[in-house]
Each structure stands twice: as C-alpha cells, then as structure tokens.
Amino acid sequence: MSFDDVLQRGEDELLSTRPRHSLSWILASQFTASTVTAFSKLILTAFYNVELKGLNHLDNAFQYAKDNNRAILTIANHMSTCDDPMLFACLPWRYFFNYDDIRWGLAASNVCFTNKISSAFFSLGRILPCERFGKGPFQPSIDACIRLLSPDNSLNLQKFTLPPPILRNKPSWVHIFPEGFVCQLKSPHENSMRYFRWGTARLVLEPTIAPVVVPIFADGFEKIRPEEIDMKTDYLTPSNIGSTITVNIGKAIDDNVIKSFRDEWKNLCNKYPNKDNNDDLSDELKFGSEARDLRSRVCDYLREQVAQLRLQNGFREEDPRFKDVNFWKRYTLSRGNSDPDIQFVGLNWAIKEYQRHVKLYNDKGEVIGEGKSERPSNL
C-alpha cells in the first residue's frame, strides 16, 4: 500500500531538485552513464577476467516487468567502493542504449555529494543522495526510490500532475546495496555480508505496484579496490591484476512471496491509519513494533536470497552472527572489541567517527552540526 504524500515527497525533495524532465539533462545523463560504463568496461577487459552468471534471469525479469507494467528492483552485496559502476559494466551494452533501462541508485551524501561538482556528476549518473548515521529509513532518497518504482499510470491523478519530474516511458530500474556500507572482512569471513537495512523493505512494500525483485551476489571487486590501499597514492591504480570477477544474478523473487509481505503491510496500514492525514504514514507504521518486525523479516528474507547466491559462488557458509542486527550494533559500538575474531580489511565504515562530512541529528531528525573524523590520514 502506497501513500500519496510519500510519493510526493520523493518528487518534491529530490527528483524535482534537478532538471531531470529536460531533454538536455537526459542527454547529459546518458552520456555520463555511458562514459563511466565504457571506462569501467575498459578496465575490466584489460586487467580482469569477468564471469557473468544468470544474465538470462535479469533479461527475463526485464521482459516480465515490461509486460506487466512493473519496475525492477535489484539488490546486491557491497564489497568495494567500485561495486558501482563496475557491477553494471559487466552487463551487455544493450542495458545502456535505452535511457529508461539505466539503473537509478543511492550513494552516501557525505561521500559523493560534498560539493557542487561531485553532486552534479553523481546526479547525472542517476544517483540519489542517501543520509547515513541517524537519518534512518524515512528520508527523501527512500521516498524518491519508492516514487521511481511506482508506474506513472498507477498514481492518483487527483493528487499528481503529469508528466512527473522525470521523463520516462516505463517504470524505472532501481539498484541498491542494502548493507549500506562496504564490507570487506578478513579470512575466514571473506565475502560475508552485513544485515540489510530497513529502507530496503520500504522499496518492496510501498510502491503503488510491487516491483520485480532480483538478487545479485558479486565477488572480486574487493580485489580491484581493496580497503587497505592508500587512498592518496593507490586509488587509481588497478590492484590484483588478473583476478576473476564473478557476478551471479539470481532468479526474480517469487511474486507470491512479495505479495504475502505486501498483504501484511496493507493490513497494518488499515490497522494503524494516520488519523490526521490519510495520505501519509502514521507513527505506528514508522516506528511501531509490528511494522518494524515486518521490515526486519522482509530484509532477512532478501538477504537470504543473496546469501544463497554467495554459496553458489563457492564460499563457505557465513558465520550465523552476521545475520543478526544486534551483533553488528554491538560490534560497531565496541569498535570490534566485542568479537575480536572478526576483522575488517581497512576500517569498519559503520563507525561514523571514521568518516568525513557526517551530519549530526537531534531527536527530531534536524541537522545540528557535523561530526569530526577520526580515521587514519591515509584513508
């Protein structure tokens, strides 16, 4: 079940902030995406061996979505800062010929949107800024993705004026890395994942029509850009030349499973309406125990689908601790001291003091300042 005010916030607070409805923007955006993809393909072809598995699953998902007026949501593990765009550079060029087929994505605002130049570049690359460390799952970037995943002809035309702030001929493709942070762990836990963050569940539950959800697991990008490199001297130098990059695309998640979750969500929406505004989420739907439990179960299920692809790539079973949200909270709060047998390559980026340009929020979600970075000078 969708809420008009959520969709409208997605338009007003993010999608309308750039001239995405203009032809000049579209041309510049497609040029940016194609150029970055071409450069990434060049790096992969020249220095690495790429194994792409399950492309037919993505092809089938795109055709099914097109035939049924539905958007595409892909979810993948996050191993490296080069996951995007390298992951998409592994796909055939036909995924970039049509502007509507180019994926939308999220990136940390404190990393990719720190000045006008980088903000314009990533915006042209169809990336939206996501606030971390306190903003939570109810923020403009998630609302914007929900709007992107909602077909234009499924909107309440009494509430929305068409055309929308983005020009498109069909529902969009949104890709996210649900862990929210790069996760590179040392052996024997290599290529394991963090828990999936709750904003992921919103993208399944809240679009006007259920998206077609496709899981992906990739490994090898952590070899291209290992976290222990010196960011000042080695960032642009390819590492571990000759390594194999494996991208495993799974089958689209069963519609019946997605429908079951969305039916639960609809029941909660009917049970806990916003009495002051029927077009928006109530506090119970945001913060209530039943809604939180549902989001948690959706994320657990999606994570398990990606984890199964990880096993197909030849990795051993994950440590069961990694599935537990409370483990990661405890581990991050203690800066790894709670479980010293688990060590990161580089830093655990979920520790906000290690990052620059991090905004600090009060209890009302208002910005009250900027955090101080304590990370080593070479990172």
Side-chain angles (χ1 to χ4, degrees):
M1 182 172 179
S2 299
F3 291 91
D4 289 340
D5 282 9
V6 170
L7 302 175
Q8 192 67 63
R9 278 196 298 272
E11 287 193 2
D12 295 344
E13 297 186 30
L14 264 189
L15 297 179
S16 298
T17 57
R18 303 275 178 177
R20 295 186 173 94
H21 61 282
S22 71
L23 179 60
S24 60
W25 178 272
I26 290 175
L27 293 175
S29 179
Q30 185 154 21
F31 175 79
T32 300
S34 298
T35 301
V36 172
T37 300
F39 178 75
S40 300
K41 281 182 174 290
L42 178 63
I43 296 296
L44 291 174
T45 301
F47 300 114
Y48 300 97
N49 302 307
V50 176
E51 181 183 5
L52 179 60
K53 301 191 293 187
L55 179 61
N56 61 306
H57 296 151
L58 188 60
D59 288 338
N60 293 340
F62 263 79
Q63 187 61 52
Y64 181 69
K66 179 181 178 181
D67 292 344
N68 291 274
N69 189 41
R70 293 167 64 179
I72 291 278
L73 173 63
T74 52
I75 53 176
N77 60 310
H78 202 4
M79 286 297 301
S80 170
T81 55
C82 72
D83 284 344
D84 191 328
M86 291 290 184
L87 173 64
F88 304 102
C90 295
L91 300 178
W93 268 114
R94 66 174 181 272
Y95 279 92
F96 302 90
F97 291 151
N98 187 331
Y99 184 69
D100 285 331
D101 288 339
I102 298 176
R103 66 89 191 92
W104 290 82
L106 298 176
S109 61
N110 69 296
V111 176
C112 299
F113 293 82
T114 57
N115 57 59
K116 290 182 178 180
I117 294 176
S118 65
S119 296
F121 173 75
F122 284 102
S123 294
L124 284 170
R126 305 189 80 165
I127 297 295
L128 302 174
C130 184
E131 299 285 349
R132 301 190 294 196
F133 304 109
K135 193 67 172 177
F138 303 99
Q139 58 175 289
S141 60
I142 303 299
D143 293 342
C145 286
I146 293 171
R147 174 63 185 90
L148 289 168
L149 292 168
S150 298
D152 294 340
N153 59 8
S154 67
L155 299 180
N156 181 350
L157 295 183
Q158 295 180 340
K159 293 282 186 177
F160 292 87
T161 301
L162 297 178
I166 52 169
L167 290 182
R168 61 181 182 177
N169 296 311
K170 62 180 180 180
S172 301
W173 173 16
V174 173
H175 177 86
I176 61 169
F177 298 99
E179 296 164 88
F181 301 94
V182 168
C183 182
Q184 285 188 22
L185 298 174
K186 294 182 179 180
S187 181
H189 305 297
E190 62 270 23
N191 295 85
S192 296
M193 296 182 291
R194 301 176 188 264
Y195 69 96
F196 282 12
R197 305 182 78 82
W198 284 351
T200 310
R202 291 194 65 202
L203 305 188
V204 173
L205 299 173
E206 296 186 45
T208 54
I209 297 176
V212 178
V213 184
V214 180
I216 301 173
F217 184 89
D219 67 83
F221 296 123
E222 76 282 1
K223 299 171 186 174
I224 299 178
R225 192 59 65 231
E227 285 287 294
E228 75 264 21
I229 62 169
D230 189 317
M231 296 287 282
K232 293 180 179 178
T233 61
D234 296 340
Y235 189 75
L236 296 178
T237 305
S239 301
N240 298 299
I241 291 174
S243 297
T244 297
I245 313 300
T246 304
V247 176
N248 190 358
I249 303 171
K251 294 181 180 179
I253 293 176
D254 189 335
D255 277 350
N256 292 324
V257 174
I258 300 299
K259 182 179 184 303
S260 176
F261 285 134
R262 285 173 61 91
D263 285 347
E264 283 192 64
W265 172 245
K266 184 176 181 180
N267 290 336
L268 288 178
C269 293
N270 292 331
K271 183 177 180 180
Y272 299 111
N274 185 332
K275 296 180 180 179
D276 297 322
N277 181 5
N278 289 330
D279 292 331
D280 206 352
L281 294 159
S282 65
D283 285 346
E284 190 67 34
L285 292 176
K286 289 182 178 180
F287 312 116
S289 59
E290 292 175 77
R292 290 162 66 96
D293 174 70
L294 175 57
R295 291 190 190 98
S296 181
R297 285 188 285 112
V298 171
C299 288
D300 287 348
Y301 181 84
L302 296 178
R303 187 187 184 281
E304 181 59 29
Q305 305 316 298
V306 178
Q308 289 298 318
L309 298 175
R310 175 183 176 274
L311 294 178
Q312 293 177 17
N313 280 21
F315 294 98
R316 72 186 77 188
E317 288 276 359
E318 284 187 310
D319 188 307
R321 286 175 290 181
F322 295 152
K323 302 177 183 180
D324 184 6
V325 174
N326 293 320
F327 157 76
W328 284 106
K329 291 181 177 179
R330 182 179 69 250
Y331 181 85
T332 298
L333 184 64
S334 70
R335 299 199 176 193
N337 291 329
S338 63
D339 297 80
D341 61 309
I342 297 172
Q343 297 185 3
F344 272 80
V345 176
L347 298 177
N348 176 7
W349 293 113
I351 298 174
K352 65 181 178 182
E353 289 79 13
Y354 289 166
Q355 299 208 29
R356 299 187 179 101
H357 309 295
V358 174
K359 295 177 182 177
L360 302 178
Y361 298 90
N362 61 18
D363 293 338
K364 297 180 180 180
E366 300 167 332
V367 178
I368 58 175
E370 186 173 295
K372 181 180 179 181
S373 175
E374 300 175 5
R375 61 173 164 173
S377 60
N378 68 323
L379 291 171

